Amino acid sequence: MAYKFLETLDFDAAVYKQLLTERTDEAVETILEQREMIAIEIIKSKLVGRYNITAIFAAQGLERHYLIVHYITTITTYLFFKRNAARKLPSDLKEDYDNIMKDLDKIQAGKMVLDNLPLKIDGEGNAVAPATWANRKNTDFYI
C-alpha cells in the first residue's frame, strides 16, 4: 500500500526521519498510511462545502496545494505520535495540530479562504456558494 496523497519526502520536511524509523518492531509505513487516510477524511469533511474535493486530492507532485500537504502531514504526524504516548507528545506538535484544526474550522465557516484551490461547481460550471444561515430573531422588539 502506498500513500494516497502524500509522498515520503513530505514527512522529511515535517519530522526527523529518525523519529519515524527508530522503532523497528512496527510497520511504520502502514501506520502512517492509515493515519494519512484519517487526516484526509478530516480535511475533506471541512472543505467539502466550499471546494472541489475530487480535484484537490487528484493533484500529484508539485500540483498539490502546499498548505493542504502541510495540513495532512501535520495531522498524520500528530496522530502517529499520539497513538503511543499522548503525554509525551511534543508541545509544538500539539500546538501545530490545534492551529490547523482552528484554520480548518475557519475555512469551513467561510472566514478563511485558501487561494488557488478549485471551488465546488454546479452542473452549469458556476461556483457553488454554500448556504448562508442567519438568525433573524430581534430581542429588542417590544409591542
Side-chain angles (χ1 to χ4, degrees), residues 89-106:
L89 195 67
S91 61
D92 58 340
L93 184 60
K94 174 69 172 139
E95 288 174 16
D96 287 348
Y97 174 80
D98 290 341
N99 289 336
I100 286 172
M101 296 310 289
K102 288 177 187 174
D103 283 353
L104 289 172
D105 287 339
K106 288 178 188 175

Side-chain angles (χ1 to χ4, degrees), residues 54-100:
T54 306
I56 291 170
F57 290 101
Q60 295 179 349
L62 296 175
E63 295 175 357
R64 300 174 302 160
H65 193 277
Y66 193 76
L67 199 53
I68 299 296
V69 172
H70 171 66
Y71 286 174
I72 294 173
T73 306
T74 303
I75 294 171
T76 302
T77 306
Y78 172 79
L79 294 173
F80 177 79
F81 287 115
K82 183 180 177 247
R83 72 188 172 80
N84 278 343
R87 68 183 182 281
K88 295 181 181 180
L89 195 67
S91 61
D92 58 340
L93 184 60
K94 174 69 172 139
E95 288 174 16
D96 287 348
Y97 174 80
D98 290 341
N99 289 336
I100 286 172

Side-chain angles (χ1 to χ4, degrees), residues 31-40 76 79-80 83:
I31 295 167
L32 285 174
E33 289 166 1
Q34 293 169 349
R35 299 305 184 253
E36 179 206 19
M37 286 191 274
I38 294 169
I40 288 172
T76 302
L79 294 173
F80 177 79
R83 72 188 172 80

